[in-house]
Amino acid sequence: MMRDLSCQLDPVESARLRPPAEVMRLSRMGSFFPTRLSFMRVLLRSLSAGEAKISRAVWEIDKNGWGRAVYRLDYNAAVYSLVAFSNQLADSARTDRVIATAWDATFVLYDGVPDRAELDRLQAAAPHQEKGRYGPRDLVLSRANKSVRLFEELVSALAEGRQPEAGLIARTGYLMRTTAVYGNGKFGICDREQFAGDSSAGDPSAGDQAAGDSSAGRDGFARPFAAEMMAVYLIRHFTHDLVDHIAAARGGKKAIRLDRELRRHLGIGNSTGLGMAPFLVTHPVLLNNWMLARETAWARVRGLAEASPEQQQRLQELASRAGGHLAEWQVPDEAAQTRIQNLRAEWAAVQASLSADLLNGPYPFAALAGLAADRSQECQELMLALCLEVNGEAIDGLADCMDSSQEARLNPAARAADLLAETRQQFGWALAVDFSQPDAIQHFWYVSAAKLEPRLGNRHLEAGSELETPLDIARRVQAMEAALAGWLETAPPDKLVAEFLLAFPQHRLAVQRVQTNGWAPYSEIQDNLLDASCLPVDMLRCKLSFFGASKFDPKSDRWTRITMYQGAPLADELADARLADDWWLPVLG
Amino acid sequence: MMIVSASECRDMITKAGRGVGLEASRAADLAAACCLLCAFGRQGCQAALACLADAEGLRLPESPAAGQLFWPQGRAALEGGQAIEMIQAGLAQSAGFGQLDAPPMLLGLAAILAPETGFEMLAGKTLQGRTANGWIDWFGPENGPESGLECARDSVWLRRLDRLPDIAARPLLPFSVDPQDWQAVCQLAALTYVPESETSRARGAGAGQIDND
């Protein structure tokens, strides 16, 4: 049973949590690294523990690599399939933009094993992605484009009987880049509530889990984005097989298979834009639970009185590996590369300070936090991730607390005066914004008519701000506070929130957010998302780090490329629990 | 009929609500209630559309008797939602509507807004139901799935129950909706869409890249 973490915090740990005012700032959220609580890591541990078996059920791929394939996943007494369609695509049509209409490959994660008729149905729809219509047996829809140069280099090398240059693989890190991974009911595909195990218990929109339907027993996909992460893991497997297959077709007897270690270092790329950013604002309780689990883990680890000799050794190894990973992390963007270079220098200094005395001393993980405290936020967050990494036993259970069946709630029975006090106490950051300044309201978020995707406009230059999406939480809370304070000047002190909202119904969302923040303290990003200085890419990095992505490669202030599953175990290595869980910030060689 | 997912339904009704000027959180609650009606085999989209025909402003109630609120003309998404919250807050025991645009939606909203409060709704002599723990139990002469809006819209009463009723109904996913209703919902949702500017397009994901790398 999934639990809401806010209900079960240990008071000592609670006192040690970093305050939301420190954590929920965009600059810090944009400095996150993947941790062992990230969804990909949790999924692979679950696959390993659940003795998941992945096999290739259909391979109708021609010598050019075009055709269709099906991978079967047996997991937790259920069967799923990744259905892959590989298509010929002209270079001129290859674009990572969400407005693209054709891709090198398209995919569906399917509930069960598709028969011929189902395969044909998916083949008619999936290559068209958003223009197709899907059904309740389709769990995830995705597409990907080749990393053309690396793909061709690998095919050529393997066809000639040689392994490709390792440095090339380390630099690129993937054979294909997904440009969308759709789940949870999009375009008619299965609702998450329907397949997400018991997390939907008590949720009135949940499916009938008790009736013995095909959705029963899917505990493995109950955690957030587990189905999407599963699909991406299988897509990675497909890309590995595809490059071997084409090389074999081209090279004949001369051809060899890609070396296992090189293969492991090939993940899946992804291009992510603004579509992902509003999620963190529109799912405040879920955001709270993700952050609270992460912060609880960090508080718990900092409270450990000692580190075992094994942990100390592991910590040294992983700190060194992280340094190697930073050295391997190269991006074209100058500002981002400068940040990485600064971090490399900081991390080298941190590594030099990892003395036996420090690690043998009392509360070693708190001491490690102290080592990073005066350095950049990226360095601090990297230290957090490192310390969590060697404390799986203490924190891995928190992964079960990262879902939520609850949503933002209004309490109309609360006293209006209490609401005012709560607003002033918790939303000082919002009340301090001067919204009369043009820069403070420069951005407006909207949904584009062309692709039905979130976009960001400039209020002072572009039309459409009257239709903006309500992500302006700071501005709304400030307006609500002003109205409430004025109303309470003449209203009796025992007036209730319901009465305030009868007089000021336009402030209901703001009231709901403030009250929710009272029991979900990490539910709000404590920055003005309309401000000219707001960098949506920080929201993307936060969310993607929870997925487990690494090697962030920002291409502007509002989209980034990333790598997923780099260094992760291969499908036939999942049974090895150590391999399945030892791929944090991987380094080739 | 066409099949839509709960996620699609929720997303589109939320946008449709905002499209006609419903306050954002009320639009989200309407969408959740719509999904609940659909999950219980009723025409939730049809009821939501009835709510969206007139969605601006909030009318103040009369108080004909102690513990009672009354609106001669009520709208489920607005005065209905407010009535539920007034009852939930203990400011009234019951709320009546001389006329109500979508009685089934009132019960859906009660289940969404106050899941831990038991409610009973009587709509004339035709539609009746109870809520508890976020679920709905329908009863009365017109208890079929087609009875969505054909129930009486006159003299609708919502009453708080002292004890939570035992409701064992089971919801269904995905939803079966009338294609015409769905099209109308999508049209209202489209009122929130903005044409992309060139500036925005030039800065979106993938922009400025040669993707054959």
Side-chain angles (χ1 to χ4, degrees):
Chain A
M1 172 71 83
M2 294 291 169
R3 295 151 292 172
D4 280 324
L5 194 61
S6 47
C7 305
Q8 57 171 49
L9 261 184
D10 173 319
V12 177
E13 280 173 1
S14 185
R16 222 183 280 126
L17 291 175
R18 296 190 295 182
E22 179 183 342
V23 179
M24 301 305 294
R25 301 302 305 271
L26 279 178
S27 62
R28 181 169 296 278
M29 296 166 81
S31 300
F32 282 6
F33 285 89
T35 72
R36 62 180 298 114
L37 292 177
S38 296
F39 305 147
M40 290 181 215
R41 292 287 304 281
V42 174
L43 175 66
L44 290 205
R45 283 200 294 273
S46 297
L47 289 177
S48 182
E51 300 181 348
K53 298 274 186 301
I54 294 168
S55 54
R56 201 165 80 182
V58 174
W59 188 259
E60 297 170 359
I61 302 285
D62 70 14
K63 63 181 182 179
N64 298 307
W66 302 321
R68 66 188 187 184
V70 178
Y71 288 85
R72 175 184 167 124
L73 167 68
D74 289 83
Y75 175 43
N76 273 1
V79 181
Y80 310 91
S81 300
L82 178 82
V83 184
F85 302 102
S86 176
N87 318 294
Q88 184 174 11
L89 183 69
D91 282 355
S92 59
R94 186 175 293 109
T95 170
D96 284 7
R97 306 224 52 178
V98 76
I99 54 176
T101 55
W103 301 269
D104 282 313
T106 54
F107 308 93
V108 172
L109 183 66
Y110 183 85
D111 182 10
V113 178
D115 59 18
R116 286 272 148 193
E118 281 289 83
L119 269 182
D120 291 344
R121 173 182 68 81
L122 294 173
Q123 189 154 15
H128 303 291
Q129 294 283 291
E130 297 95 331
K131 288 185 179 158
R133 189 74 192 157
Y134 305 89
R137 298 200 71 168
D138 309 328
L139 306 180
V140 176
L141 175 69
S142 184
R143 71 289 190 103
N145 284 334
K146 284 174 185 159
S147 176
V148 178
R149 279 201 293 268
L150 183 64
F151 200 96
E152 180 51 34
E153 170 57 29
L154 260 65
V155 168
S156 299
L158 297 174
E160 291 165 11
R162 61 181 170 85
Q163 292 296 333
E165 189 222 328
L168 188 65
I169 287 179
R171 277 194 297 280
T172 305
Y174 49 80
L175 288 165
M176 282 193 183
R177 225 173 13 242
T178 57
T179 62
V181 183
Y182 294 118
N184 191 22
K186 279 276 200 178
F187 318 116
I189 63 180
C190 188
D191 281 304
R192 185 174 179 280
E193 292 96 326
Q194 203 172 357
F195 66 79
D198 66 358
S199 69
S200 56
D203 183 337
S205 62
D208 184 354
Q209 299 294 322
D213 64 358
S214 65
S215 62
R218 291 199 188 96
D219 289 356
F221 287 171
R223 296 189 177 98
F225 292 96
E228 290 89 337
M229 296 301 106
M230 186 69 244
V232 174
Y233 181 69
L234 292 170
I235 290 170
R236 171 188 184 237
H237 194 55
F238 169 74
T239 66
H240 294 171
D241 280 1
L242 190 65
V243 80
D244 274 341
H245 173 83
I246 301 172
R250 192 184 295 179
K253 288 183 180 170
K254 242 180 15 176
I256 58 172
R257 282 169 57 84
L258 183 61
D259 169 77
R260 181 170 283 272
E261 192 180 350
L262 295 177
R263 185 184 297 259
R264 205 182 290 128
H265 211 63
L266 282 170
I268 284 288
N270 175 265
S271 289
T272 297
L274 286 178
M276 186 173 271
F279 182 93
L280 295 181
V281 185
T282 56
H283 294 77
V285 181
L286 198 57
L287 174 63
N288 173 76
N289 290 0
W290 294 4
M291 301 297 281
L292 191 52
R294 192 176 185 276
E295 290 304 314
T296 300
W298 188 211
R300 188 172 293 174
V301 165
R302 294 198 322 277
L304 294 174
E306 58 185 23
S308 69
E310 294 76 23
Q311 279 179 312
Q312 293 181 29
Q313 186 188 343
R314 185 84 180 121
L315 209 131
Q316 296 276 15
E317 289 168 4
L318 289 172
S320 173
R321 189 204 284 179
H325 184 87
L326 295 179
E328 212 179 74
W329 184 14
Q330 305 272 356
V331 300
D333 182 78
E334 278 185 28
Q337 187 61 32
T338 300
R339 271 179 70 166
I340 294 169
Q341 282 163 352
N342 290 342
L343 182 57
R344 286 175 190 158
E346 289 184 309
W347 196 249
V350 164
Q351 274 187 268
S353 305
L354 290 180
S355 64
D357 281 352
L358 184 145
L359 296 178
N360 276 316
Y363 297 96
F365 301 105
L368 289 170
L371 263 187
D374 293 333
R375 304 184 190 279
S376 68
Q377 293 187 37
E378 270 192 304
C379 189
Q380 294 167 24
E381 296 305 318
L382 184 55
M383 180 60 83
L384 176 155
L386 171 68
C387 292
L388 298 198
E389 193 60 30
V390 299
N391 282 291
E393 204 170 310
I395 66 165
D396 282 353
L398 291 167
D400 288 339
C401 306
M402 296 173 85
D403 196 6
S404 177
S405 55
Q406 292 192 49
E407 300 197 3
R409 293 273 296 274
L410 184 91
N411 177 10
R415 288 175 69 241
D418 292 342
L419 173 65
L420 182 63
E422 206 174 358
T423 305
R424 289 175 173 169
Q425 188 182 351
Q426 295 163 206
F427 283 75
W429 59 273
L431 303 181
V433 178
D434 181 357
F435 284 105
S436 68
Q437 296 300 311
D439 276 1
I441 54 165
Q442 178 170 302
H443 291 322
F444 72 98
W445 295 79
Y446 65 90
V447 175
S448 83
K451 283 300 284 187
L452 308 184
E453 284 280 328
R455 291 281 183 270
L456 201 54
N458 183 325
R459 190 184 312 274
H460 308 308
L461 301 174
E462 298 167 46
S465 63
E466 71 280 5
L467 298 174
E468 70 183 301
T469 309
L471 304 184
D472 54 338
I473 303 303
R475 185 170 61 166
R476 285 170 179 267
V477 167
Q478 192 178 106
M480 182 272 287
E481 190 268 351
L484 180 58
W487 185 70
L488 280 170
E489 280 177 12
T490 54
D494 59 348
K495 283 286 184 185
L496 304 184
V497 164
E499 293 166 284
F500 169 66
L501 289 175
L502 188 62
F504 295 93
Q506 69 272 32
H507 295 307
R508 191 170 178 275
L509 176 62
V511 172
Q512 191 182 62
R513 298 296 289 225
V514 170
Q515 290 187 325
T516 300
N517 194 248
W519 53 269
Y522 295 96
S523 58
E524 294 292 348
I525 298 171
Q526 297 197 6
D527 275 297
N528 171 21
L529 303 184
L530 310 184
D531 197 89
S533 66
C534 169
L535 300 178
V537 76
D538 288 334
M539 298 159 79
L540 304 184
R541 178 155 166 181
C542 170
K543 188 175 174 193
L544 291 165
S545 76
F546 276 103
F547 286 5
S550 59
K551 291 194 173 161
F552 302 94
D553 179 8
K555 298 297 182 187
S556 81
D557 61 355
R558 53 190 78 179
W559 76 277
T560 185
R561 281 182 181 169
I562 53 164
T563 307
M564 300 187 285
Y565 287 118
Q566 189 173 35
L570 303 173
D572 60 1
E573 296 171 335
L574 285 171
D576 182 334
R578 188 194 60 80
L579 268 181
D581 199 31
D582 184 18
W583 52 285
W584 178 70
L585 300 187
V587 178
L588 184 56
Chain B
M1 302 302 278
M2 66 178 287
I3 301 297
V4 300
S5 70
S7 171
E8 286 176 300
C9 185
R10 197 163 177 153
D11 182 46
M12 294 307 272
I13 296 287
T14 302
K15 286 176 181 163
R18 287 188 24 243
V20 300
L22 200 57
E23 190 273 334
S25 68
R26 287 271 181 230
D29 290 337
L30 179 71
C34 172
C35 287
L36 193 60
L37 296 190
C38 290
F40 281 88
R42 294 197 169 254
Q43 290 305 309
C45 289
Q46 191 187 7
L49 284 166
C51 292
L52 298 175
D54 174 11
E56 292 195 4
L58 180 67
R59 296 169 190 153
L60 298 178
E62 300 168 3
S63 186
Q68 273 190 5
L69 302 170
F70 186 78
W71 281 268
Q73 296 276 335
R75 295 157 300 173
L78 289 160
E79 290 79 22
Q82 186 69 36
I84 292 160
E85 286 164 0
M86 300 285 276
I87 294 172
Q88 191 186 7
L91 296 166
Q93 276 297 311
S94 61
F97 303 87
Q99 285 198 314
L100 190 69
D101 52 6
M105 190 60 80
L106 184 65
L107 215 52
L109 282 164
I112 292 293
L113 294 174
E116 289 110 21
T117 307
F119 285 97
E120 181 179 67
M121 186 184 79
L122 304 174
K125 293 181 179 175
T126 54
L127 180 75
Q128 302 174 24
R130 287 179 297 210
T131 71
N133 299 320
W135 304 85
I136 303 177
D137 185 17
W138 306 93
F139 57 92
E142 292 191 24
N143 192 21
E146 282 73 45
S147 63
L149 277 180
E150 290 76 38
C151 61
R153 301 182 195 189
D154 301 334
S155 187
V156 178
W157 279 92
L158 185 72
R159 185 168 70 91
R160 181 179 192 141
L161 295 173
D162 295 333
R163 290 174 54 192
L164 278 182
D166 184 19
I167 295 179
R170 286 186 172 158
L172 304 165
L173 281 174
F175 303 151
S176 178
V177 302
D178 183 312
Q180 286 185 333
D181 288 345
W182 187 247
Q183 190 181 6
V185 167
C186 292
Q187 283 172 353
L188 295 179
L191 296 174
T192 63
Y193 302 155
V194 177
E196 265 180 1
S197 68
E198 281 307 313
T199 314
S200 172
R201 190 183 289 267
R203 298 176 71 186
Q209 289 289 306
I210 297 165
D211 292 318
N212 293 300
D213 57 352

